[in-house]
Amino acid sequence: MAVPYDLTCWYLNDRRIMELVGPGALDCGGGGSPSRDPHLDRLRRLRDLKDAAIDWMQAAKPSPLGVLLTTGAADAGRAFTHLGLFGFKGLNKYDAARQSGRSAPVPVAYSKLDPWMPNGKVTCDYYPEHLTSVSAWGELSGQKRKFFLGVIQDVANGGIRAIPYLFADVVENQLRGQILSSGAWSSHLEIHIDQIDSFARVSEVPLERTRAALDSLRAVPERQIKEAIADILGEPNVPKDWGGESSDLFSSRVTIDGNRASTAFLLKGPANFRPMTMAELGSNGDQIQRLFTEPAELLVLQHCHEVTSAVRTMMRAFAQQMGNPRRFAIIDGYDTIRLLTAYGKCGFGPAASGHDGA
């Protein structure tokens, strides 16, 4: 099965990667016989190591660091990924000092871990000898959004020390007919309601971000919103709620860019009519955890009020599981009103006579 992403690696510790994937992982890499160009041979080896790391992630499915912190599984020795904003410090000073025979602190990379670990950071030392190109010096300096694969060294003093295996950019691997291929990684795997073909009429309804508009959802039960979405999608059966559910509605009728995408919805009604925080999603956000256990290509969280950035960050973390990356959407109260208005549901907007539904 083709992998729906590729990596442009800027830092790659070949010894660590070989320990991770095993020496046999490169036997079938097709790198060819050594050439007369050492630079070309090195590029081939870096490519094969990168491909082996991707294959390993597809098979081992290492959890994003945010997921490990959410589930209490951030233990020493555990491999993880993290896609976020990193700060890189000390690379040029370290190299200049080494060339002049002086000692200097090893370069450090760090990324803040809010909201999983308030005021906490993941940090690691990294060394110039594992940079993959001249361009890597600029890519791993200052503040840059990067993908990180590493192993937890220890968890202490409100932070995590890690061993770096690679730093990279996630790039598109264009796959016909797959919903991950349209700028997915640059948008953190998130799509918006206007991008879902099945909700196309939403584009005809302007966004109105006022408290008066939001208050109009206060009296609309979650069950009615579920029935409205099912009707819009043309789903004939609306499941009853029960305590062990992973999602409130599952559909194979959603389309994105003309492609059908199996979709699971988590719906949060007006019972807690206030901005959604992680507290509204169960202990340690377990409702999001359960949502991402669904065999769906698109995971949708709907709420009748605003949705805080902490919830969006958590959705991103679960979506960015590199062995099974998936797209997600958040439909807040304002977009819920647009959706109901566009299709004349729950007393919003004019009823769509003759074609109310899918």
Side-chain angles (χ1 to χ4, degrees):
M1 180 179 177
V3 179
Y5 63 89
D6 202 352
L7 298 177
T8 299
C9 292
W10 304 111
Y11 178 99
L12 193 153
N13 187 320
D14 53 354
R15 179 177 68 84
R16 295 287 187 184
I17 296 295
M18 288 294 292
E19 291 174 352
L20 190 69
V21 305
L26 300 184
D27 290 347
C28 58
S33 302
S35 70
R36 296 181 180 180
D37 186 343
H39 177 66
L40 181 60
D41 290 339
R42 179 173 182 270
L43 291 178
R44 287 174 174 170
R45 179 170 175 79
L46 289 173
R47 178 204 63 194
D48 291 345
L49 285 166
K50 179 263 295 182
D51 288 344
I54 291 175
D55 290 343
W56 179 84
M57 288 189 289
Q58 285 296 109
K61 295 179 172 56
S63 294
L65 185 54
V67 173
L68 294 180
L69 291 169
T70 298
T71 58
D75 303 318
R78 185 179 289 272
F80 70 93
T81 62
H82 184 64
L83 180 59
L85 182 65
F86 279 86
F88 297 93
K89 299 191 301 184
L91 181 59
N92 289 322
K93 288 183 179 180
Y94 175 83
D95 191 59
R98 188 181 63 168
Q99 291 188 33
S100 64
R102 295 180 288 109
S103 61
V106 176
V108 174
Y110 66 92
S111 182
K112 295 181 180 179
L113 295 177
D114 295 328
W116 309 289
M117 182 183 284
N119 301 316
K121 298 178 182 178
V122 56
T123 61
C124 69
D125 298 334
Y126 67 109
Y127 297 85
E129 54 263 37
H130 299 304
L131 300 184
T132 61
S133 66
V134 174
S135 300
W137 289 83
E139 291 291 337
L140 300 186
S141 297
Q143 289 195 337
K144 302 287 186 346
R145 182 174 179 265
K146 296 298 175 188
F147 171 78
F148 177 80
L149 171 65
V151 168
I152 297 176
Q153 190 171 24
D154 61 71
V155 182
N157 300 321
I160 291 177
R161 290 287 299 175
I163 300 170
Y165 282 49
L166 65 81
F167 280 103
D169 289 330
V170 183
V171 295
E172 309 294 341
N173 184 1
Q174 298 292 343
L175 299 174
R176 185 183 301 274
Q178 294 213 9
I179 65 169
L180 274 175
S181 63
S182 301
W185 294 98
S186 61
S187 59
H188 305 274
L189 300 182
E190 182 176 5
I191 66 172
H192 301 285
I193 190 171
D194 307 74
Q195 297 171 263
I196 300 174
D197 300 343
S198 306
F199 300 148
R201 291 188 215 164
V202 164
S203 61
E204 302 170 7
V205 181
L207 178 65
E208 183 182 358
R209 296 185 63 88
T210 65
R211 184 51 53 91
L214 205 58
D215 282 345
S216 63
L217 282 176
R218 187 187 294 270
V220 182
E222 178 185 315
R223 176 72 184 182
Q224 288 187 19
I225 292 176
K226 180 194 292 190
E227 292 172 346
I229 292 175
D231 194 44
I232 293 169
L233 297 175
E235 286 291 344
N237 299 312
V238 181
K240 294 182 179 180
D241 295 333
W242 64 286
E245 62 197 0
S246 297
S247 64
D248 296 295
L249 181 66
F250 193 96
S251 176
S252 61
R253 300 172 184 268
V254 176
T255 59
I256 301 171
D257 294 332
N259 301 306
R260 290 179 67 160
S262 56
T263 304
F265 293 82
L266 174 60
L267 310 175
K268 304 296 289 183
N272 294 316
F273 195 72
R274 56 178 178 264
M276 176 185 282
T277 64
M278 291 304 299
E280 274 73 52
L281 292 164
S283 176
N284 294 322
D286 64 350
Q287 290 185 31
I288 291 180
Q289 296 179 46
R290 294 203 304 269
L291 178 64
F292 275 86
T293 65
E294 290 279 27
E297 299 167 85
L298 174 65
L299 294 310
V300 179
L301 174 64
Q302 180 275 332
H303 184 44
C304 288
H305 209 287
E306 296 172 346
V307 176
T308 63
S309 60
V311 174
R312 175 168 273 105
T313 299
M314 191 66 68
M315 291 285 285
R316 286 180 179 177
F318 277 87
Q320 293 168 359
Q321 207 275 359
M322 301 304 283
N324 185 24
R326 287 178 289 174
R327 304 211 73 169
F328 74 94
I330 294 176
I331 302 176
D332 63 8
Y334 303 108
D335 278 335
T336 298
I337 292 171
R338 293 176 68 210
L339 179 63
L340 298 178
T341 300
Y343 290 88
K345 300 294 184 181
C346 303
F348 289 84
S353 61
H355 55 276
D356 185 21

